[in-house]
Amino acid sequence: MKTSHSFSISALSLISSVAAGIVQQAANALSKRDTFQWGSIGDSYASGVAYLQSVTYDNNAGNCLRTTDAYAYQLKNDVSWMNGWTEYFTWTACSGSRLVDMQYQILGVGSSPRLVTMSAGGNDGGGNPLAGFFNVADSCLFLSNPNNDYGLPYNQDTNRTGQCAQAIDATKAYLTNGIGNDLKNTLNDVLDADNVKSQPDFLLYVTGYAQFFNPNTTWCNDHTFSVFYPYQSGPPLSQYLRNDINALVTQLNSVYEETIQAYSNVRFVNYDAAFEGQRFCEADSNIWGQYFSSDVWFWNVSPPNFSVANQTANDTQIHQALISTIGNASITPFSSGTGTVSDGWKLRPFHPTISGHAVIEQAIVAQMKTDNIPPSATAASSPSSVTSATPAASTTAPPYVPGTCSFHLDEWQDCAPDSSNLSANITMYDNAHNLIGQTDTSQSGDALGDPINISDPYSFVTKLANPMVVVGEHENDYIQFTIGTLSWKSTDSTGSASCSVGGWNPRDGPVCTGRGPLQNAVCSPSASFLCLYELCMVVKMC
């Protein structure tokens, strides 16, 4: 069976085949100039972690868990910074991503972005399986696997042989000798992307992280976050442990700030101080508050819409209530992977709540005002003048906001024969990012989407006048798109349709575990699918 390649398509600029005229062309050019294109890339700190369908941004496209709680969505809906501009927002951040994935995500944030926010690095460990904030959280706080020997609690481990001490030491070593160079490479990749380097006034905002604990209180010393280890003997939240975990966050922020100083068009947004008084183990809180109080701006292990009524409950009572509700299934909080919305609450611990994201959003807006981004739109080139200059195509308004349409496509390949092993899941938006088309997996009967094989092409129906016909080609590894008389391939790099090619999507299946461009994957008897690869954003004049 032929192995597959994966790629990303981004900022695919298409020229409408609809007759327009000189006035329409001028209006389109003006609209493009006066639309403020911006986007957000990163890991789960940028995507948020969707935990209910009601807070899911895009029906969990690509299992990225983007949520309306996240700072990017809050920024999108905050009109205070727009200064009369029309915004065009693209969000390619995805839970589980690492720094290396930013070079692919940036390709999806529009053809001419002026600003991109980035939150990434928490999942990185420099190749050391013990390093990374996920390993620290699980090895030191949650101990999610009751069958694993984690060793001595941190405050008793003078020889530093326990799993917690090893995770902290490995993460500290990576922050000291690795992440600065990895961040530098990531910044260079992002700034060298075709859609970025063509923008002389482009700015990249890189956020840091917030310390998780108040390290000075003593009441937390006798409590634990370990629900499953069992809770009676879980590791205590000692001041020693809280100080050392906080120190990792401070070190990461310092490395980021120092690295970013070398770039004139990159800003470091440090919101740590804004979390003061809202961390775990604050003086005016108790163990109940660590799970259920809105005064703590980080999630802990607790299902949505669940609480223990007794606000003076002790560890045993809280943990017993949690276990009786969620069962004894192993839960790995602060996971570095993606998942379904129903699993989101298991992945969100130690991520900001909606209140925490609001503070991040406010810090970004403050930096934007410092940078005068975007500048006030002038009356001569305001979005309203574009509207008045655009003649109506007909007396009936189209059922979408005209301008720049975009779609997001996830393509899957399974272990069936080549003639029937490709499928796709597509979401399309109009110029105002209103949903105008989406793959209905309930109709296709396949959660991965509709077939896009040569013998069974996918006719994707949206609110546009013509359906988009999608065909996956094995012969030369590309996807063919057709809308009306307009046709293009995913491999096109010039002409009326052009694509940027990336590499493996971070949400790999059980076989596609490699990262980087154009790697091969091989079927195995235990694999239900080979891999997912993502066509990020494709734009056209509609």
Side-chain angles (χ1 to χ4, degrees), residues 247-384:
L248 296 177
V249 177
T250 302
Q251 183 180 2
L252 183 146
N253 286 343
S254 296
V255 172
Y256 272 37
E257 184 170 20
E258 181 179 353
T259 303
I260 287 168
Q261 286 177 353
Y263 295 83
S264 61
N265 54 350
V266 184
R267 305 286 187 267
F268 178 62
V269 180
N270 190 348
Y271 57 83
D272 179 44
F275 271 67
E276 198 67 35
Q278 316 295 150
R279 313 181 201 270
F280 290 117
C281 298
E282 295 289 0
D284 56 352
S285 192
N286 61 8
I287 191 61
W288 179 92
Q290 309 314 291
Y291 292 90
F292 309 116
S293 174
S294 60
D295 291 336
V296 179
W297 288 352
F298 294 105
W299 292 112
N300 205 332
V301 180
S302 58
N305 302 321
F306 170 81
S307 181
V308 174
N310 180 11
Q311 296 189 15
T312 61
N314 59 31
D315 294 69
T316 300
Q317 292 168 327
I318 291 173
H319 294 164
Q320 284 178 335
L322 286 170
I323 289 176
S324 67
T325 300
I326 63 182
N328 290 311
S330 178
I331 292 177
T332 305
F334 197 40
S335 173
S336 59
T338 57
T340 62
V341 174
S342 61
D343 289 330
W345 69 270
K346 304 175 186 178
L347 308 177
R348 70 182 183 179
F350 274 57
H351 289 77
T353 65
I354 187 172
S355 297
H357 276 287
V359 167
I360 302 172
E361 187 263 346
Q362 292 163 17
I364 291 172
V365 170
Q367 183 64 53
M368 293 173 72
K369 291 180 178 178
T370 299
D371 290 326
N372 192 28
I373 296 294
S376 297
T378 63
S381 60
S382 67
S384 59

Side-chain angles (χ1 to χ4, degrees), residues 57-242:
Y57 174 68
D58 52 6
N59 201 30
N60 199 25
N63 286 337
C64 284
L65 296 173
R66 288 181 283 263
T67 172
T68 55
D69 285 357
Y71 73 78
Y73 185 81
Q74 295 188 44
L75 185 61
K76 172 185 178 293
N77 291 308
D78 182 355
V79 299
S80 68
W81 60 268
M82 294 182 188
N83 286 337
W85 291 70
T86 297
E87 66 168 332
Y88 179 76
F89 169 65
T90 311
W91 197 2
T92 58
C94 189
S95 175
S97 297
R98 300 180 182 178
L99 286 170
V100 69
D101 301 311
M102 300 305 102
Q103 62 184 309
Y104 310 124
Q105 290 187 12
I106 190 62
L107 298 175
V109 296
S111 59
S112 52
R114 295 282 302 280
L115 173 72
V116 169
T117 66
M118 183 182 103
S119 301
N123 294 326
D124 287 79
N128 187 332
L130 296 176
F133 282 92
F134 158 66
N135 290 311
V136 171
D138 188 51
S139 299
C140 298
L141 302 171
F142 297 111
L143 283 63
S144 61
N145 183 359
N147 299 314
N148 183 47
D149 182 6
Y150 288 89
L152 289 172
Y154 191 68
N155 61 326
Q156 302 174 21
D157 190 7
T158 56
N159 293 324
R160 306 191 72 78
T161 58
Q163 197 163 317
C164 174
Q166 291 180 359
I168 287 178
D169 290 347
T171 303
K172 183 177 181 180
Y174 172 61
L175 296 178
T176 302
N177 299 312
I179 199 168
N181 189 61
D182 289 347
L183 176 63
K184 180 180 179 181
N185 290 336
T186 295
L187 297 179
N188 291 339
D189 288 338
V190 167
L191 297 176
D192 194 49
D194 288 341
N195 56 336
V196 168
K197 64 184 179 182
S198 62
Q199 303 304 312
D201 51 0
F202 173 81
L203 283 176
L204 176 66
Y205 285 6
V206 180
T207 72
Y209 293 83
Q211 297 175 74
F212 299 111
F213 298 100
N214 179 332
N216 302 316
T217 55
T218 58
W219 71 264
C220 245
N221 291 344
D222 299 322
H223 296 279
T224 179
F225 284 168
S226 177
V227 177
F228 297 104
Y229 195 62
Y231 48 85
Q232 292 96 334
S233 60
L237 297 167
S238 65
Q239 289 176 272
Y240 182 37
L241 174 62
R242 285 180 273 148

Side-chain angles (χ1 to χ4, degrees), residues 404-462:
T404 301
C405 290
S406 62
F407 71 81
H408 178 108
L409 185 151
D410 289 333
E411 182 182 19
W412 295 85
Q413 177 178 339
D414 61 23
C415 291
D418 280 359
S419 60
S420 60
N421 66 352
L422 298 178
S423 58
N425 197 317
I426 308 175
T427 307
M428 182 176 283
Y429 305 93
D430 66 11
N431 188 57
H433 204 74
N434 299 311
L435 183 68
I436 60 172
Q438 186 170 22
T439 300
D440 186 351
T441 56
S442 65
Q443 294 294 323
S444 68
D446 189 343
L448 301 183
D450 276 73
I452 57 168
N453 301 290
I454 295 177
S455 61
D456 187 15
Y458 179 20
S459 181
F460 179 55
V461 178
T462 69

